């Protein structure tokens, strides 16, 4: 089954990343390895969010699955 990750939203005014709900996609913090469930996350440092397919799913070729968010204190 193919799943396509959706880019998390980022509000630079509040330094908040919003992880979307996408069936078959697991989002995680690339620095800490911590899974990021669908929710809002206020960042306190530059953050890279990556996505990987859940068991039984795959991403289509050439899909973007990593996003960099710049923290501005």
């Amino acid at each position: 089954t193919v799943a396509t990750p959706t880019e998390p939203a980022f509000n630079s005014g509040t330094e908040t990343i919003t992880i979307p709900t996408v069936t078959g996609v697991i989002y995680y913090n690339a620095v800490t390895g911590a899974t990021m469930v669908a929710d809002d996350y206020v960042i306190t440092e530059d953050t890279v969010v990556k996505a990987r397919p859940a068991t039984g799913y795959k991403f289509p070729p050439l899909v973007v699955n990593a996003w960099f968010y710049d923290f501005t204190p």
Side-chain angles (χ1 to χ4, degrees):
T1 304
V2 176
T4 302
T6 300
E7 180 175 359
F10 182 62
N11 181 324
S12 60
T14 61
E15 302 292 344
T16 302
I17 299 171
T18 301
I19 302 296
T21 299
V22 181
T23 301
V25 178
I26 298 169
Y27 292 90
Y28 64 99
N29 183 313
V31 175
T32 66
T35 299
M36 301 174 79
V37 297
D39 204 349
D40 292 337
Y41 296 85
V42 176
I43 61 171
T44 57
E45 62 186 1
D46 292 349
T47 302
V48 176
V49 175
K50 287 191 170 184
R52 66 176 175 263
T55 303
Y57 290 86
K58 64 181 179 178
F59 289 165
L62 305 176
V63 71
V64 174
N65 70 329
W67 303 271
F68 174 81
Y69 300 98
D70 185 32
F71 173 73
T72 306

